[in-house]
Amino acid sequence: MNSLVKTAAEIEAMRAGGRILATVLGEVAAAVRPKVSTGELNALAERRLRELGATPSFLDYGKEEGNPYPATLCTSVNTEVVHGIPSQTKVLQEGDIVGLDLGCWYKELCTDMAITVPVGTISVEAKKLIKVTRQALDMALRQVRGGVRVGDVGQAVQSFVEAQGFTVVRKLTGHGVGRTVHEEPPIPNFGHAGTGPVLPAGATIAIEPMVNAGGDEVETLEDGWTVVTADNSLSAHFEHTVLVTENGCEILTRM
Ligand code: MF3
Ligand code: CO
């Protein structure tokens, strides 16, 4: 667990990397509009990360397992929950929602961030789903301080989301982050306060609620990556990398 705690130099690198990541993801979000392909968004993310001195952390992730992630950005449209693969032939349309998930390496440390944005004008339900998911991340962040348990965070997310009539995905979780893309411990978006691993001050974690408008079940497509809702309901995703502090947390990927 203490391996989660970063040195001052590591934290400084993650601050700088997180700033780059948030800048680039903001630029990608600003490029979202009807008729743009997810492949174009991926190309923009990759070019801008490299221009700012960072490198993609998702590209080729999972190589050891034989199915490397083939892009810099994850673009998850409508019923896609996470890990949607960008393509020049996948063109966004008015009314879609798209999750944009990006990670980078900077000075050998990595940060991770996601947002979900509308494409043009979207339905009332889609707007509510995005808002609730963003608020769920805020609720999680409010729990975080040195000594918090992951169950405190999970319960805050789950109870808020379910009270709004939506569900949290259980098969995928947040995670420690920094020296590798995914570190211990998993940070579920459900659970019971007072249970689970303790997060010490100095730990760096990625909190990432994934919220479905329908049921919580998800499936992975043939490509081995794209996670979709089992009932074809809409899904949204927000993520920040944060440093746990004595009194709260510092968002390292603030836009
Ligand atoms: N934020 C996502 C996660 O933590 C992105 C990972 S994409 C991958 O799972 F390709 F790197 F797996
Ligand atoms: Co993540």
Side-chain angles (χ1 to χ4, degrees):
M1 169 64 70
N2 273 350
S3 64
L4 260 188
V5 174
K6 305 301 187 290
T7 65
E10 287 175 320
I11 290 166
E12 205 35 63
M14 290 182 72
R15 276 195 189 106
R19 216 171 290 132
I20 292 170
L21 195 64
T23 299
V24 174
L25 199 58
E27 291 178 10
V28 172
V32 168
R33 57 191 146 72
K35 298 197 170 75
V36 166
S37 74
T38 56
E40 289 170 72
L41 298 176
N42 177 67
L44 175 63
E46 172 139 14
R47 175 172 65 77
R48 289 295 292 142
L49 276 186
R50 293 189 192 281
E51 281 175 0
L52 296 177
T55 54
S57 60
F58 298 167
L59 186 63
D60 282 340
Y61 182 89
K63 208 192 256 167
E64 299 73 27
E65 287 75 47
N67 185 23
Y69 186 73
T72 289
L73 184 69
C74 301
T75 52
S76 305
V77 181
N78 295 336
T79 62
E80 296 172 352
V81 178
V82 286
H83 303 170
I85 300 174
S87 161
Q88 298 294 342
T89 60
K90 185 144 186 172
V91 177
L92 296 174
Q93 295 183 37
E94 180 99 24
D96 287 344
I97 62 173
V98 59
L100 305 169
D101 190 350
L102 185 63
C104 77
W105 289 106
Y106 184 75
K107 296 194 173 167
E108 287 166 50
L109 274 294
C110 63
T111 48
D112 192 351
M113 178 182 187
I115 56 177
T116 299
V117 300
V119 183
T121 304
I122 62 172
S123 70
V124 171
E125 191 193 37
K127 259 186 218 165
K128 180 181 171 193
L129 179 67
I130 290 176
K131 185 174 177 190
V132 166
T133 310
R134 192 194 309 110
Q135 289 174 328
L137 176 55
D138 289 341
M139 303 298 267
L141 296 176
R142 259 187 249 170
Q143 297 297 315
V144 178
R145 66 205 305 278
V148 71
R149 287 177 181 270
V150 300
D152 300 332
V153 175
Q155 178 169 320
V157 172
Q158 182 186 0
S159 62
F160 175 72
V161 166
E162 290 178 353
Q164 303 297 317
F166 297 142
T167 62
V168 292
V169 173
R170 291 162 180 259
K171 266 197 198 150
L172 297 136
T173 67
H175 48 91
V177 63
R179 295 177 196 131
T180 63
V181 174
H182 295 127
E183 297 178 350
E184 290 299 312
I187 303 183
N189 295 300
F190 61 93
H192 298 283
T195 67
V198 170
L199 300 171
T204 46
I205 56 174
I207 301 182
E208 50 180 318
M210 289 152 264
V211 176
N212 295 349
D216 65 1
E217 288 295 325
V218 297
E219 286 164 10
T220 304
L221 299 186
E222 294 284 285
D223 61 23
W225 283 105
T226 312
V227 177
V228 298
T229 55
D231 62 5
N232 282 307
S233 64
L234 287 180
S235 189
H237 177 213
F238 281 82
E239 175 175 22
H240 270 311
T241 295
V242 306
L243 169 68
V244 181
T245 63
E246 292 294 342
N247 299 313
C249 69
E250 177 185 337
I251 299 173
L252 301 177
T253 48
R254 192 182 285 288
M255 291 185 86

